[in-house]
Amino acid sequence: MLPSRYFYDLTQPEIAEHFKRSGLVIMPAGSVEQHGPHLPTGTDSIAANVIAHAVAERMDGIVLPGTQLGVTPMHAPFAGTITLTPDTYMRLVIETCSSTAKHGAKYLLILNWHEGNIPSLAIAAETLHRQHGMTVLTVQACYVANELFGHQCGGLTHGGEIEALAVMANRPDLVHLDRVDYSSDHSHGHHMDKLRRTHSYQPVLTDIRCIAPTGWYGDPKNATADRGEELVATVADSITTEATEIFKQLDTVLGGGTAEVRSFRQAV
């Protein structure tokens, strides 16, 4: 049993042994952006990290020290937002994960909580598989949370209950429900979010003000730490079940990897 599930907490021999035994690394992906007057700017990264850790415990994985930053020009009009360019972000993800592949990491689970990262992560995942021999699965954890809790939390809103719960599970001291104020119109926010989340049509919006003029919308007032812990555990259980099955299927269809992948693994 590892003394920690965080890569940077472990010694070199512990990591080397883990690569031989399990070979699973988990990359949390989030962002630093404004979340209204009541949630921290690191909400997406905190959510990704706490769920990644819970999944690592269940799947015998190690959580990589991924960047807390993401691709979020959508929120740039508001103070508190730091965004990377897609190219910079992809390089960070690829170089972090490929470093572990060189030493034996075989499976990569990218656990994302920020929608703005999705296009860049898709390209990074493809590169890590084809050029670095990793079996890669990307999970949009925020969508999993919405599927499981959206009906009772008013859906996946920016700064709403689901995001408040994800932070409260790990850092309740950073959630200030007494400061909740000036939420944008919920009906407009839901309409615009539904428009941009369809499979068939993807409009480009100038920034978050197209969805929520104040920068956020939702109703987090019923969020509690206990319910946050329930959300994290339930989402982690769901991801563990699905990801375990998908990795098994990938092992079957890849037969241990394509010829290029097998060649790469033999080389390292």
Side-chain angles (χ1 to χ4, degrees), residues 27-268:
M27 166 66 81
S31 66
V32 174
E33 62 191 36
Q34 62 86 26
H35 276 82
H38 56 294
L39 293 180
T41 58
T43 288
D44 290 8
S45 291
I46 292 170
N49 194 64
V50 67
I51 296 172
H53 186 272
V55 172
E57 291 183 319
R58 290 160 170 76
M59 292 185 68
D60 190 18
I62 293 178
V63 180
L64 295 177
T67 175
Q68 294 182 348
L69 302 176
V71 181
T72 183
M74 188 82 166
H75 296 272
F78 290 89
T81 300
I82 300 175
T83 185
L84 300 178
T85 64
D87 183 64
T88 297
Y89 183 67
M90 286 188 289
R91 293 312 316 166
L92 284 167
V93 172
I94 291 168
E95 292 176 19
T96 298
C97 297
S98 64
S99 294
T100 69
K102 292 178 181 178
H103 299 288
K106 300 177 180 66
Y107 301 95
L108 169 62
L109 177 64
I110 300 174
L111 195 148
N112 182 46
W113 190 275
H114 175 59
E115 291 169 293
N117 293 338
I118 293 175
S120 301
L121 287 175
I123 297 172
E126 185 86 6
T127 301
L128 286 162
H129 174 64
R130 298 195 181 281
Q131 297 183 18
H132 300 282
M134 306 188 85
T135 298
V136 186
L137 171 63
T138 302
V139 177
Q140 308 302 338
C142 53
Y143 292 166
V144 176
N146 187 43
E147 291 169 3
L148 295 172
F149 289 88
H151 64 285
Q152 59 181 273
C153 294
L156 179 63
T157 62
H158 185 68
E161 188 170 350
I162 286 179
E163 294 203 309
L165 288 172
V167 178
M168 292 189 84
N170 181 250
R171 292 295 306 275
D173 57 305
L174 298 180
V175 179
H176 309 286
L177 296 182
D178 58 313
R179 302 179 189 174
V180 171
D181 195 10
Y182 60 78
S183 168
S184 290
D185 179 70
H186 291 197
S187 60
H188 176 74
H190 282 298
H191 173 74
M192 294 303 296
D193 269 337
K194 182 179 180 180
L195 178 67
R196 71 191 182 112
R197 288 171 179 164
T198 66
H199 293 295
S200 302
Y201 303 92
Q202 290 85 42
V204 176
L205 304 180
T206 303
D207 59 58
I208 186 64
R209 292 173 295 186
C210 296
I211 301 170
T214 65
W216 79 281
Y217 80 101
D219 186 10
K221 67 177 182 297
N222 293 323
T224 65
D226 287 343
R227 292 184 62 230
E229 292 174 3
E230 177 190 0
L231 179 142
V232 168
T234 303
V235 171
D237 285 342
S238 177
I239 291 174
T240 296
T241 298
E242 293 294 331
T244 299
E245 181 59 31
I246 291 171
F247 276 128
K248 288 180 180 178
Q249 294 179 39
L250 291 175
D251 277 346
T252 298
V253 298
L254 295 176
T258 61
E260 301 97 305
V261 171
R262 289 195 296 272
S263 176
F264 174 84
R265 288 177 179 164
Q266 291 169 0
V268 298

